[in-house]
Amino acid sequence: MTSIDWAKVRADFPILAQQVNGKPLLYLDNAASSQKPRAVISALVNYYERDNANVHRGLHELSSRATDAYEGARVKVAKYLGAASAEEIVFTRGTTEAINLVAQTWGARFVREGDVILLTEMEHHSNLVPWQMLAERTGARLRFVPVAEDGTLALERLGDLLTAEVKMFAFTHISNSLGTINPVAELCRAARAVGAVTLVDAAQSIGHLPVDVREMGCDFLAFSGHKMCAPTGSGALYGRAELLDAMPPWHGGGEMIVTVSYERSTYKKAPARFEAGTPNIAGAVGLGAAVDYIEGIGRATIFEHDLALTRHALARLGELPGVRVQGPRDRRGGLVGFTMDAAHPHDLTTFADQHGLALRGGHHCNMPLMKKLRLPGTTRASFYFYNTKVEVDRMADILAEAVRFFA
Amino acid sequence: MTSIDWAKVRADFPILAQQVNGKPLLYLDNAASSQKPRAVISALVNYYERDNANVHRGLHELSSRATDAYEGARVKVAKYLGAASAEEIVFTRGTTEAINLVAQTWGARFVREGDVILLTEMEHHSNLVPWQMLAERTGARLRFVPVAEDGTLALERLGDLLTAEVKMFAFTHISNSLGTINPVAELCRAARAVGAVTLVDAAQSIGHLPVDVREMGCDFLAFSGHKMCAPTGSGALYGRAELLDAMPPWHGGGEMIVTVSYERSTYKKAPARFEAGTPNIAGAVGLGAAVDYIEGIGRATIFEHDLALTRHALARLGELPGVRVQGPRDRRGGLVGFTMDAAHPHDLTTFADQHGLALRGGHHCNMPLMKKLRLPGTTRASFYFYNTKVEVDRMADILAEAVRFFA
Amino acid sequence: MSTELDELYQSVILDHSKRPRNFGEIADGAVHVHGDNPSCGDEIDLSVKFGADGLVEDVKFKGMGCAISQASASLMTMKLKGKSEADAREMLRAFHDIVTVEVAEPPRMLGDLRLLAGVKKFPQRVKCAMLAWRAFEQALERKGDGPTVSTEPH
Amino acid sequence: MSTELDELYQSVILDHSKRPRNFGEIADGAVHVHGDNPSCGDEIDLSVKFGADGLVEDVKFKGMGCAISQASASLMTMKLKGKSEADAREMLRAFHDIVTVEVAEPPRMLGDLRLLAGVKKFPQRVKCAMLAWRAFEQALERKGDGPTVSTEPH
Ligand SMILES: Cc1ncc(COP(=O)(O)O)c(C=O)c1O
Ligand SMILES: Cc1ncc(COP(=O)(O)O)c(C=O)c1O
């Protein structure tokens, strides 16, 4: 087993040592956004107190340092994802921007009327709405891999759905409401067999378990830094070099051009081609620091830890009357969505908050899935490596109290 | 006169108290990016150490605090710009993203083949390339207000150029290579008279002099936070409410929708409509802190200060043999672009850097303008309120040494 | 235990949320309004029938959502019946006041609606309490249009 | 004064940058290559004429840019004349070495090009020193194609 001192790890997160509504903060809203360790906060402070300048354009010391820090972060992210080279990493504000970038540029070049974009019924709005917009612009059609009763994808339907008309198969690695871990390598293989390009939404997996784009065999992968200990406004798109270089540019502006005349411009190759204007330099530096921090613990270790908490949570929630957990029993990530007969998710979340417990209630940007499951939303507890078994017990006690309170 | 203790202000910027290449740092690359005061860095640290959570979606304490901080920053920015309401402020990564947003969404709805986009010959690539792309997509044409010999806009040509075919007139407030301050209110008035929409690129003016969208009478205004003491990755688009609400959505995803089914979605009004996904929350909070910091000094005061340095720099540069300052004599912002016969901008910038002096050399994302002026680029010194007259003298001494060195 | 929670979820409120009164739809001659809070998924379908005298003759609602939104809707329907437009508007104003600011003496006409004053300690829940009222406000706007069967798009 | 600067801008280098040798264009029978550093605007038009024996018969350049890029181009043209492809490639490799890493004894064949070793202290300027060489490398690639008049797109 691992020899991580989890208490010491937890102490790296200043925000956790506070009282909320008179109770110790019990932060279980990690699937929405994770907290930041001191190492990441310090990386930002150091950047601004020592190295800050604009990147790429300068021949002075600070500008060189800023550029090295920014490009160094790109190398870290590339390694973290198992990408073939740093040129395959485009920095974005997060998952949503990365998916929109693909839908707009790859989509403009490669999607035509009658083509099919295959999604799943469990996609976050961020991996659904951009494709709806692309379908509307191009006349392409959307298809969905159904979610089965047990919260997993109905893979037996894949043969029918993944036809030669499918140009893109975009799916989430881990469902943010059900917790389902999808068999991404298998899905990518199936897509490749019909010549479809794949995009993996790794928003929920990126900081939680080993993610390797070449093992997965995906063409694109999108993630957000803020869910993996990094600053808000950081994140990236991974794209296979061949695909990125075949895509038209996205935003026009400084840094993405080779030559500009008043009439026309020529564009750099990826990743610069897709990073017009001054980027979120400190955000990237913070993301690099988050990669280092997470790798210091180890993603396999984190997964093991989160899974242990999840199992314990499932056991404790199972004891509560009228509480029903959504999603599969096995192959699930570190989050638990559930309903409680006695209380609507919003009432339950308000109740929890008064006890210092941060949960999330609602549709979790999965409106159509909630409708399909005939749920008015769920309440979600999501774990990260700084959470403890004692916290899970405290959560269960608070929920038990809620059952009594709202009965 | 003002009673600002400039030495005390300067002490607010930790980065300035360092040696570079064995000499005290003399940072005169502010037009590329400004430095950050402790107040802004602390706002980031406080946000991450106390309040961090995802915005809008949560019913728990941290989420409320994060949402209040984020939306509070929007109110501050709205006031700072003199906008009619906070709903007119869309947070973006910076100027470039803001302009692309307008070119893509407003452009898609309102620009048709044969329409004209009017720009000026002094636009930064970020206010040129997005319009070239729009022109290519739609068949619209670009026209340019020429830059006259003295570095100002040839306003006598406006009558010919600003015809009824012009749908958009987009121009910079201050030229980032010439320093020219354009008569924005006059340009907006002229555009309104022919029914053209206006976009002001305020990248260089936003933290340097009073900017009021209603006094200007513009329809859109774009700026970057990183040039006004705020974090990288922050910035905003101001848009008149009526225009924003007439624009189609941009990126699809969480937070910008009202309802989502598998087939279609309906969208929120501005600004949420244009802010898909988790935004750069800390960036916005830092931008709000930068607004407070700058307003604490006063923009009129800052302008006065920067102008005094610029005048002094112009006088000192005038003494140097073979040094030619670009741009107008009067009505100019706090930056000076020049050429030196003895040295190419890159050699000069390297020379300066060895003396601790951060200058920028090159085309400054103004390639077509440099070509027109038959310059291989210029060297630029750009000032901010933490710079001093003593620093300008030191710069002049270093440049004098360069003249001798490269002679 | 948190007294704020006890004030927010008083037994009358929990009771109304579990067994809402006037739950259903008015078949004929009513103005129908659909309202929702997209960020939380609460929905309401309100039907309001105005009498020849302009008074609120009947109000019913269907909906799903949190206890606060359901209780507020249920209590509202009970209080609005028989009211004139002026009185109803006054009630709307008064109710909005008690869920957003400290009101020393909440008007008696609000009756049990006053029990929802606990909401003001929970700013994010104000929109839950107001959902039914916003729908009713729209019904008033469309009173002149006569009976409708369409629902309001967001 | 900074010794790094003195090493970077030795008098020979400044001299070549101000009065570049072999400045111009080869009219007939040459391979023409255009190269640039888009981020700084340095440009070069290189023409290389290969003899029947495969040796570099003549090299000329036109361009604008910083002292480093101009001096490097000027010195390069002087050294390449009469060289075989193998020798020229060896020289390219050796030159790249001295401007990027510490080389104890720079090969004598580089001649005055060794004066550009000061560049290695200035990593951002390496691309300036290499611009002419990258263009020459392209000319070698296209040697087999015979004389061209087109310029290379970026
Ligand atoms: C006039 C002008 N416009 C636009 C920009 C682009 O700003 P950003 O790179 O922050 O998007 C700049 C700064 O580089 C500028 O000076
Ligand atoms: C599965 C999934 N996809 C996409 C997103 C969107 O991420 P972001 O809001 O950081 O762009 C999220 C998080 O909200 C998510 O959980």
Side-chain angles (χ1 to χ4, degrees):
Chain A
M1 284 303 290
T2 59
S3 61
I4 301 285
D5 180 347
W6 292 111
K8 214 167 134 241
V9 166
R10 184 180 167 94
D12 289 339
F13 291 78
I15 200 170
L16 298 176
Q18 70 176 300
Q19 304 254 320
V20 157
N21 292 318
K23 309 276 161 43
L25 169 63
L26 172 39
Y27 186 78
L28 297 182
D29 193 18
N30 294 290
S33 200
S34 78
Q35 297 304 341
K36 323 302 174 201
R38 217 168 263 112
V40 169
I41 300 172
S42 300
L44 296 177
V45 171
N46 287 340
Y47 172 77
Y48 286 126
E49 293 198 344
R50 294 189 324 216
D51 305 331
N52 176 67
N54 213 324
V55 289
H56 300 143
R57 305 182 211 165
L59 291 168
H60 57 77
E61 173 67 17
L62 296 192
S63 176
S64 304
R65 281 193 227 152
T67 304
D68 290 350
Y70 182 68
E71 293 303 330
R74 199 191 302 279
V75 172
K76 285 180 190 181
V77 170
K79 281 199 191 128
Y80 185 71
L81 297 181
S85 93
E87 275 70 53
E88 297 185 321
I89 306 300
V90 178
F91 284 125
T92 66
R93 178 167 34 243
T95 311
T96 304
E97 191 181 32
I99 296 174
N100 278 277
L101 194 167
V102 176
Q104 290 190 5
T105 60
W106 176 88
R109 169 83 26 113
F110 294 105
V111 175
R112 297 277 165 278
E113 192 172 339
D115 287 347
V116 172
I117 314 284
L118 182 60
L119 307 171
T120 85
E121 284 185 349
M122 63 169 76
E123 296 315 310
H124 187 279
H125 294 166
S126 290
N127 197 27
L128 167 57
V129 183
W131 305 112
Q132 289 179 341
M133 290 172 158
L134 174 64
E136 210 190 317
R137 275 197 300 278
T138 58
R141 289 165 298 148
L142 302 184
R143 269 185 210 157
F144 298 89
V145 181
V147 171
E149 278 298 304
D150 67 350
T152 64
L153 291 178
L155 292 179
E156 71 282 3
R157 295 288 316 280
L158 212 54
D160 295 342
L161 293 165
L162 197 49
T163 61
E165 300 156 282
V166 176
K167 289 288 164 324
M168 164 64 78
F169 185 15
F171 48 84
T172 193
H173 191 177
I174 300 185
S175 159
N176 65 301
S177 57
L178 303 175
T180 320
I181 302 184
N182 288 319
V184 279
E186 187 182 328
L187 298 178
C188 289
R189 224 173 6 253
R192 233 183 355 264
V194 299
V197 162
T198 47
L199 181 146
V200 175
D201 174 352
Q204 290 300 336
S205 57
I206 190 66
H208 289 266
L209 76 182
V211 167
D212 185 299
V213 291
R214 279 182 288 178
E215 274 176 26
M216 283 182 182
C218 61
D219 294 303
F220 294 106
L221 181 139
F223 75 89
S224 305
H226 71 93
K227 296 189 202 265
M228 55 164 280
C229 299
T232 58
S234 70
L237 171 70
Y238 157 82
R240 262 200 314 117
E242 194 193 321
L243 282 167
L244 286 183
D245 284 333
M247 279 150 56
W250 195 34
H251 297 171
E255 291 317 308
M256 54 74 77
I257 53 87
V258 175
T259 57
V260 179
S261 72
Y262 288 123
E263 293 73 31
R264 69 187 56 80
S265 303
T266 58
Y267 309 115
K268 287 192 183 141
K269 295 175 65 165
R273 163 185 296 234
F274 303 108
E275 293 183 2
T278 304
N280 184 354
I281 307 166
V285 171
L287 178 56
V291 164
D292 288 344
Y293 184 84
I294 286 176
E295 291 291 68
I297 304 177
R299 281 178 281 178
T301 308
I302 290 173
F303 186 51
E304 217 173 75
H305 172 279
D306 291 1
L307 221 55
L309 293 192
T310 306
R311 276 196 219 99
H312 188 56
L314 289 174
R316 292 291 320 260
L317 288 176
E319 300 160 4
L320 296 179
V323 167
R324 254 185 306 277
V325 171
Q326 304 296 317
R329 279 270 116 185
D330 306 310
R331 273 192 73 79
R332 58 183 303 154
L335 63 90
V336 181
F338 58 92
T339 56
M340 180 185 283
D341 288 346
H344 185 276
H346 293 148
D347 298 311
L348 185 52
T349 313
T350 294
F351 183 91
D353 185 44
Q354 287 298 309
H355 294 76
L357 167 58
L359 298 176
R360 188 149 298 232
H363 54 64
H364 310 292
C365 293
N366 278 144
M367 265 195 209
L369 179 65
M370 292 294 149
K371 194 150 213 162
K372 178 190 155 104
L373 300 176
R374 297 179 181 282
L375 296 172
T378 61
T379 303
R380 182 181 70 190
S382 51
F383 311 111
Y384 213 8
F385 54 78
Y386 38 70
N387 292 125
T388 65
K389 196 160 168 248
V390 172
E391 285 186 318
V392 174
D393 282 324
R394 213 185 115 205
M395 170 192 81
D397 294 344
I398 293 168
L399 293 177
E401 202 173 316
V403 172
R404 285 189 296 276
F405 183 84
F406 288 109
Chain B
M1 286 301 289
T2 58
S3 60
I4 300 287
D5 180 346
W6 293 108
K8 213 166 133 241
V9 167
R10 185 181 167 93
D12 290 338
F13 291 78
I15 201 170
L16 298 176
Q18 70 176 299
Q19 303 255 320
V20 156
N21 291 317
K23 307 278 162 44
L25 169 63
L26 172 40
Y27 186 78
L28 296 182
D29 193 17
N30 294 290
S33 201
S34 78
Q35 298 304 341
K36 323 302 174 201
R38 217 168 262 115
V40 169
I41 300 171
S42 302
L44 296 177
V45 172
N46 288 341
Y47 172 77
Y48 285 126
E49 295 197 344
R50 294 191 322 216
D51 305 330
N52 176 66
N54 213 324
V55 289
H56 299 143
R57 302 181 213 165
L59 291 168
H60 58 76
E61 172 69 15
L62 295 191
S63 177
S64 303
R65 282 193 226 152
T67 304
D68 289 350
Y70 183 68
E71 293 303 329
R74 198 190 301 280
V75 172
K76 284 181 189 179
V77 170
K79 279 199 191 131
Y80 186 70
L81 297 181
S85 93
E87 274 71 53
E88 297 185 320
I89 305 301
V90 178
F91 284 124
T92 66
R93 177 166 38 242
T95 311
T96 303
E97 191 181 34
I99 296 174
N100 278 276
L101 194 168
V102 176
Q104 291 191 5
T105 59
W106 176 88
R109 170 85 24 117
F110 294 107
V111 175
R112 297 278 164 278
E113 192 174 339
D115 287 346
V116 172
I117 314 284
L118 182 60
L119 307 171
T120 85
E121 283 184 350
M122 62 168 78
E123 296 314 310
H124 188 278
H125 294 165
S126 290
N127 197 27
L128 167 55
V129 183
W131 304 113
Q132 289 179 342
M133 290 172 156
L134 175 65
E136 212 189 315
R137 276 198 300 278
T138 57
R141 290 164 298 149
L142 302 184
R143 270 185 209 156
F144 297 89
V145 181
V147 171
E149 278 300 303
D150 67 352
T152 63
L153 292 177
L155 292 180
E156 70 283 2
R157 297 286 316 279
L158 212 55
D160 295 344
L161 294 165
L162 195 50
T163 61
E165 300 156 281
V166 176
K167 288 287 166 320
M168 164 63 78
F169 184 17
F171 48 83
T172 192
H173 191 176
I174 300 184
S175 159
N176 65 302
S177 57
L178 303 174
T180 320
I181 302 183
N182 288 319
V184 280
E186 188 181 329
L187 298 178
C188 290
R189 223 172 8 250
R192 232 182 358 263
V194 300
V197 162
T198 48
L199 181 147
V200 175
D201 174 351
Q204 290 299 336
S205 57
I206 191 66
H208 290 267
L209 76 183
V211 166
D212 185 298
V213 291
R214 280 184 287 177
E215 272 176 25
M216 282 181 181
C218 62
D219 294 304
F220 294 107
L221 181 139
F223 75 89
S224 305
H226 71 93
K227 295 188 202 266
M228 56 164 279
C229 298
T232 58
S234 70
L237 170 70
Y238 157 81
R240 262 201 311 120
E242 193 193 322
L243 283 166
L244 288 183
D245 285 331
M247 280 151 56
W250 195 33
H251 297 173
E255 291 317 307
M256 54 75 76
I257 52 87
V258 175
T259 57
V260 179
S261 72
Y262 287 123
E263 293 72 33
R264 70 188 55 81
S265 304
T266 57
Y267 309 114
K268 288 193 182 142
K269 295 177 67 165
R273 161 184 296 234
F274 303 107
E275 293 183 3
T278 304
N280 185 351
I281 308 167
V285 171
L287 178 55
V291 164
D292 287 344
Y293 184 84
I294 287 176
E295 291 291 68
I297 304 177
R299 283 179 280 178
T301 307
I302 291 172
F303 187 52
E304 216 172 76
H305 172 278
D306 291 2
L307 220 58
L309 293 192
T310 307
R311 276 196 218 101
H312 187 57
L314 290 173
R316 291 291 319 259
L317 289 175
E319 298 160 5
L320 298 178
V323 167
R324 257 187 304 278
V325 171
Q326 304 296 318
R329 281 268 116 189
D330 308 309
R331 275 193 70 79
R332 58 183 301 153
L335 63 90
V336 181
F338 58 92
T339 56
M340 180 185 284
D341 288 345
H344 186 277
H346 292 149
D347 298 311
L348 185 52
T349 313
T350 293
F351 183 92
D353 185 45
Q354 287 297 310
H355 293 77
L357 167 58
L359 297 176
R360 188 147 297 229
H363 53 62
H364 311 292
C365 293
N366 279 142
M367 267 195 207
L369 180 65
M370 292 295 149
K371 194 149 213 163
K372 178 190 155 109
L373 301 175
R374 300 180 178 285
L375 296 172
T378 61
T379 303
R380 182 182 71 189
S382 50
F383 312 110
Y384 212 8
F385 54 80
Y386 39 68
N387 293 124
T388 65
K389 197 162 168 242
V390 173
E391 285 186 317
V392 174
D393 281 325
R394 214 185 114 206
M395 168 190 84
D397 293 344
I398 294 168
L399 293 177
E401 204 174 314
V403 171
R404 285 189 298 274
F405 182 86
F406 289 109
Chain C
M1 265 302 300
S2 154
T3 49
E4 274 91 359
L5 276 179
D6 289 328
E7 265 172 40
L8 182 62
Y9 294 110
Q10 306 203 25
S11 56
V12 174
I13 291 172
L14 288 180
D15 178 63
H16 273 267
S17 81
K18 279 177 189 137
R19 284 174 293 116
R21 320 303 197 263
N22 300 308
F23 198 82
E25 202 179 334
I26 302 173
D28 298 318
V31 178
H32 295 260
V33 175
H34 178 84
D36 62 11
N37 282 330
S39 61
C40 53
D42 291 350
E43 289 189 50
I44 188 168
D45 286 295
L46 190 74
S47 32
V48 186
K49 187 166 184 174
F50 295 97
D53 47 8
L55 301 188
V56 176
E57 192 179 305
D58 199 7
V59 202
K60 285 192 189 303
F61 83 103
K62 272 169 128 174
M64 57 179 210
C66 61
I68 305 301
S69 70
Q70 298 302 296
S72 175
S74 174
L75 285 161
M76 178 188 85
T77 57
M78 288 178 66
K79 276 288 155 201
L80 282 177
K81 266 190 231 181
K83 292 284 183 304
S84 69
E85 173 165 350
D87 284 354
R89 285 197 188 274
E90 180 52 32
M91 201 174 267
L92 194 160
R93 234 186 327 270
F95 180 74
H96 185 258
D97 276 357
I98 64 161
V99 296
T100 50
V101 293
E102 195 64 54
V103 176
E105 290 193 47
R108 301 197 47 168
M109 69 172 161
L110 289 178
D112 277 356
L113 281 164
R114 286 174 296 182
L115 298 172
L116 280 160
V119 169
K120 69 172 166 301
K121 296 265 175 61
F122 298 84
Q124 311 115 316
R125 305 304 299 278
V126 170
K127 63 178 185 306
C128 309
M130 291 304 298
L131 177 62
W133 294 87
R134 299 251 171 264
F136 178 70
E137 201 175 10
Q138 277 192 24
L140 280 180
E141 313 283 283
R142 292 205 263 134
K143 178 181 166 186
D145 307 354
T148 60
V149 285
S150 70
T151 63
E152 172 79 328
H154 333 274
Chain D
M1 264 305 297
S2 153
T3 50
E4 275 91 357
L5 276 178
D6 289 328
E7 266 172 41
L8 181 65
Y9 296 109
Q10 307 202 25
S11 56
V12 175
I13 290 171
L14 287 179
D15 179 62
H16 273 267
S17 80
K18 281 179 187 135
R19 283 173 297 116
R21 321 302 197 262
N22 299 309
F23 197 84
E25 199 178 336
I26 303 173
D28 298 319
V31 178
H32 295 261
V33 174
H34 177 85
D36 62 13
N37 283 331
S39 61
C40 53
D42 290 352
E43 290 189 51
I44 188 167
D45 286 294
L46 189 74
S47 32
V48 186
K49 187 167 188 173
F50 296 98
D53 46 10
L55 302 188
V56 177
E57 193 178 303
D58 199 8
V59 203
K60 285 192 189 303
F61 83 102
K62 274 169 128 175
M64 57 179 209
C66 62
I68 305 300
S69 70
Q70 299 301 295
S72 175
S74 174
L75 286 161
M76 177 188 86
T77 57
M78 289 178 66
K79 276 288 157 202
L80 283 176
K81 265 189 231 183
K83 291 288 183 301
S84 69
E85 173 164 348
D87 284 354
R89 284 199 188 272
E90 179 53 31
M91 200 173 268
L92 194 158
R93 236 186 326 269
F95 181 74
H96 185 258
D97 276 357
I98 65 160
V99 297
T100 51
V101 293
E102 194 65 52
V103 177
E105 290 194 46
R108 300 197 46 167
M109 69 169 163
L110 289 177
D112 278 355
L113 280 165
R114 287 174 295 184
L115 298 172
L116 279 159
V119 169
K120 71 173 165 298
K121 297 267 176 59
F122 298 84
Q124 311 112 318
R125 306 302 300 277
V126 170
K127 65 177 186 304
C128 309
M130 291 305 298
L131 176 63
W133 293 87
R134 299 253 170 262
F136 178 70
E137 202 176 10
Q138 278 194 23
L140 280 179
E141 314 283 283
R142 292 206 263 135
K143 178 182 168 184
D145 307 351
T148 59
V149 285
S150 69
T151 63
E152 171 79 330
H154 332 275

